[in-house]
Amino acid sequence: MPHFVKYENYWWEYIPAENLTDVTLYNSVGGQMRNCDITGCQTVQAQGREYLDWHGTDVYDNTKFRSGWLAPNGEFYGCEYRSHDALARYVLHKETRSLEEQGYIKITYEKPTPNYKRYYILFNNQTIPTDEQLKYLYNNYSDDRDSYEEMLWKIRVRKLAYEREQRQKNNGKEKE
């Protein structure tokens, strides 16, 4: 069974060694860090990364991050802005595309300057945000006026496109 260590806010795989001050760590995509001192770090054995407890890491922390996945029921799963795919796979046990198809909204940000983050949402062309998602966005992002207005604009555009598609479908059925 593989060995994992929580090191620098992430679960890394490693090969057990007598000398814990010089260990090579492996991430999920083949990258590695050499010469790591894992003395005193939390270690576990698990069948795979999806069996690890990711709470409190860069992959999953609702209290630390404003970026993450927003479920249709309004439940938020926070992650570091580069960890959406890992959160989908290891915490929600789904692939990104599957979450999008189920109506999850991806919240991420771009960082134009070190002191400013602009949040924005990504969702597939079929998604119309639920009332619960809209409530969550209002309660958690309306303090960031620029980000919130951009989110609302994107939602309005999606709703208009959806309504247009529905009208076109209905017009096609009436002509038949």
Side-chain angles (χ1 to χ4, degrees):
M1 194 173 305
H3 290 76
F4 296 94
V5 59
K6 192 184 280 188
Y7 184 82
E8 294 184 356
N9 233 11
Y10 186 81
W11 282 107
W12 297 81
E13 189 171 351
Y14 73 101
I15 298 169
E18 284 185 33
N19 183 2
L20 296 180
T21 61
D22 185 22
V23 176
T24 300
L25 306 178
Y26 304 91
N27 67 20
S28 60
V29 293
Q32 54 184 265
M33 281 197 311
R34 297 173 190 262
N35 309 106
C36 297
D37 182 355
I38 63 169
T39 306
C41 294
Q42 182 182 356
T43 60
V44 297
Q45 284 185 273
Q47 292 178 347
R49 294 178 195 281
E50 63 273 15
Y51 297 97
L52 299 171
D53 178 6
W54 288 92
H55 286 88
T57 68
D58 287 347
V59 172
Y60 183 39
D61 191 330
N62 287 347
T63 61
K64 184 177 177 182
F65 301 110
R66 292 180 77 185
S67 55
W69 286 103
L70 181 57
N73 67 1
E75 188 171 351
F76 178 70
Y77 299 89
C79 66
E80 197 261 344
Y81 80 102
R82 296 175 293 187
S83 298
H84 288 86
D85 290 342
L87 187 143
R89 190 174 310 115
Y90 303 138
V91 177
L92 300 173
H93 307 289
K94 299 181 186 293
E95 293 300 319
T96 295
R97 178 180 281 278
S98 175
L99 291 180
E100 292 169 347
E101 289 170 353
Q102 292 175 22
Y104 282 70
I105 294 175
K106 182 179 182 180
I107 302 172
T108 189
Y109 68 85
E110 57 186 339
K111 219 157 103 169
T113 66
N115 298 322
Y116 177 73
K117 295 177 184 173
R118 181 176 215 149
Y119 291 86
Y120 59 98
I121 58 175
L122 300 169
F123 47 86
N124 74 19
N125 288 336
Q126 306 305 314
T127 299
I128 300 295
T130 64
D131 289 341
E132 291 85 357
Q133 287 171 320
L134 292 172
K135 183 177 178 180
Y136 183 88
L137 293 173
Y138 176 78
N139 289 337
N140 291 278
Y141 297 92
S142 61
D143 64 320
D144 177 356
R145 197 77 188 145
D146 290 341
S147 294
Y148 184 64
E149 287 180 6
E150 188 173 327
M151 289 178 187
L152 289 181
W153 176 81
K154 190 165 187 174
I155 289 167
R156 283 187 202 111
V157 167
R158 178 63 217 130
K159 282 185 175 181
L160 289 172
Y162 178 79
E163 289 168 0
R164 185 179 63 242
E165 290 168 10
Q166 294 306 309
R167 278 193 307 275
Q168 289 172 344
K169 284 181 184 177
N170 290 338
N171 286 339
K173 286 180 182 178
E174 289 174 8
K175 292 179 183 179
E176 292 177 1

